[in-house]
Amino acid sequence: MSTGERDVTTRLRDALAHQTASVPAPEDRWEDVEVRAGQLLRRRRWNRAAYLTIGLAAAVVTVVVAASALEPGSSRRVTTVAPATSPQTPVSRGPGPGPETTTASPAPSTSAPQPASAFHYQPLWPFAGEADAAGWQARYRAGGQQPWHLDPATTAISFTTGYLGYADINLVVDRTVGPADAHVAVGYAVPSTPNRTSVAAIIHLVKLGGGADAPWEVVGTDDSRGISLAAPAYGSRISSPVAVGGRITGVDESIHVRVLQQSSGSTPIGDRCCVPAGGTDTAWATSVGFAGARDAVVTLVASTGGHLLAVERFAVTAGRR
Amino acid sequence: MVSTDEDPQIGEPVEAISLRQLYVEQRWSLVRLAALLIHDRDQSEEVVQDAFVNAYLAWDRISDPSRALAYLRSAVLNGARSRLRHLRVVERTQAARSPDQQSPEAALVAGEEHRMMITVLRSLPRRQAECLVLRFYLDLSEAETASTLGISPGSVKTHVHRGLAALATRLGDPR
């Protein structure tokens, strides 16, 4: 530190000390802290109960409708969400975890591939649709190419670090994997705090196609990290500009919304930065324009951060052209 | 800030007492910290109250008590930024007012140079001002300042260097 810098530093310290010396001791308002925290907790619990009730009611209605629709003689199938309308475009592109590999493939399933069930989600990444996934499956069976598609955790991390471009969201914090459905919590190491991680999002993946070697596909995120993306509705048709919004819990948040499509890789076709937000379960809304949409399905992602990392939490939904 | 999965229970004795102790011991220091940035004592107190409410709700995630003070400082800085944005909008719609909200008594005793220094400090880019306050008011290390602001120690060094240079230049002391 130079002599001049030391001099300024000394004068700055004096000024700061002098300035703060005139700040009187604040009153003890701890009771106010407890009351406000209690109110927020009660509101949060009430919201949870309301969401749970609505979710149960929706589940009951869905089951009843599905049961009636699948009765013998019924000619229609139930579609609770918009079916995937994938452009049968090339296989996974963008940043996968490493080059294609030619290692020996695991023994292919001895049973014949199951007929693909109706895919009720929107295929976000890495495949554009069932045919796309089937193409990879055939190549995998022939030469063991890109086996990471069989691992939901690797697929989830590739989605965040590659497709979304969130290089810091590179840890799998937790995972729940079923036969056809997986939820992978991705996150980051908290800076300057050893052995602490924080979850940025819970990625929802499903098996796309039939057979034991059907690859995993990202179809969305669970809205459980204090940021949600409720509009546009999942799988709804969108056009530019699209109104986006949801709810957020946090302090001094800054929400960045982007629109992506597989054929453009990690380059967004729409970008809106940034929407100031904060509070407890507070609504946020904005609109984002996009241009050059070619794919049938586009990804909308809302992220927030800036406290520890540029991106600390995010939520994803799907729109259709 | 990340939301919690598990809510704390109101009245949990050990945790509440710990945060209560922090409130007793640190709230004045935190109000002073906020006051350096937003020059409004009432608003500074509200920022600190908000920070403690958020800490109360997030207490289960602040597993290391030594991190709690850093969390509170970070929350106060975030809150100060938000209030500052709001105050600037309000100021634009109101008649011209003194840049400093000191009481008449304080203004009498405050030296001209001190006032100048604080005025120039508040005119610096936000990050520079925050780094200078954390380093030279709270005497945090570069690493601690970086952790509080969520930036790298190298960035802290750069902000401090540039901030001091700007202070020297604007106070008529070019180095």
Side-chain angles (χ1 to χ4, degrees), chain A residues 5 11 13 18-20 22-23 26-30 32 36 44 196 225 251-253 307 313, chain B residues 1-2 4-5 7 20 23 27-28 46 49-50 54 61 78 82 85 110 113 139 150 161:
Chain A
E5 215 166 47
R11 290 158 63 193
R13 284 185 196 277
H18 187 275
Q19 183 72 12
T20 53
S22 64
V23 176
E27 286 180 30
D28 187 337
R29 293 162 58 203
W30 175 251
D32 177 52
R36 287 172 56 195
R44 191 183 290 179
R196 280 203 71 188
R225 301 308 304 162
V251 178
D252 195 23
E253 304 293 343
H307 307 93
R313 291 179 288 160
Chain B
M1 301 293 162
V2 180
T4 58
D5 288 334
D7 290 336
R20 168 71 176 147
Y23 185 83
R27 79 177 185 286
W28 193 0
E46 291 312 308
Q49 288 290 111
D50 289 347
N54 285 315
R61 286 188 295 110
N78 289 337
S82 296
R85 279 196 292 269
E113 183 187 330
D139 281 327
H161 178 73

Side-chain angles (χ1 to χ4, degrees), chain B residues 19-71:
Chain B
L19 188 60
R20 168 71 176 147
Q21 284 170 344
L22 272 175
Y23 185 83
V24 170
E25 293 166 4
Q26 299 294 335
R27 79 177 185 286
W28 193 0
S29 164
L30 291 168
V31 169
R32 286 170 158 175
L33 171 64
L36 284 174
L37 297 168
I38 60 177
H39 61 86
D40 184 311
R41 288 179 200 153
D42 292 340
Q43 295 282 342
S44 300
E45 286 193 33
E46 291 312 308
V47 164
V48 173
Q49 288 290 111
D50 289 347
F52 274 99
V53 170
N54 285 315
Y56 198 114
L57 295 171
W59 194 244
D60 62 329
R61 286 188 295 110
I62 311 173
S63 56
D64 178 0
S66 65
R67 291 282 304 157
L69 185 54
Y71 176 94

Side-chain angles (χ1 to χ4, degrees), chain A residues 1-10, chain B residues 161 164-165 168 175:
Chain A
M1 189 180 283
S2 67
T3 306
E5 215 166 47
R6 267 197 300 275
D7 180 50
V8 174
T9 302
T10 304
Chain B
H161 178 73
L164 290 176
R175 286 175 289 132

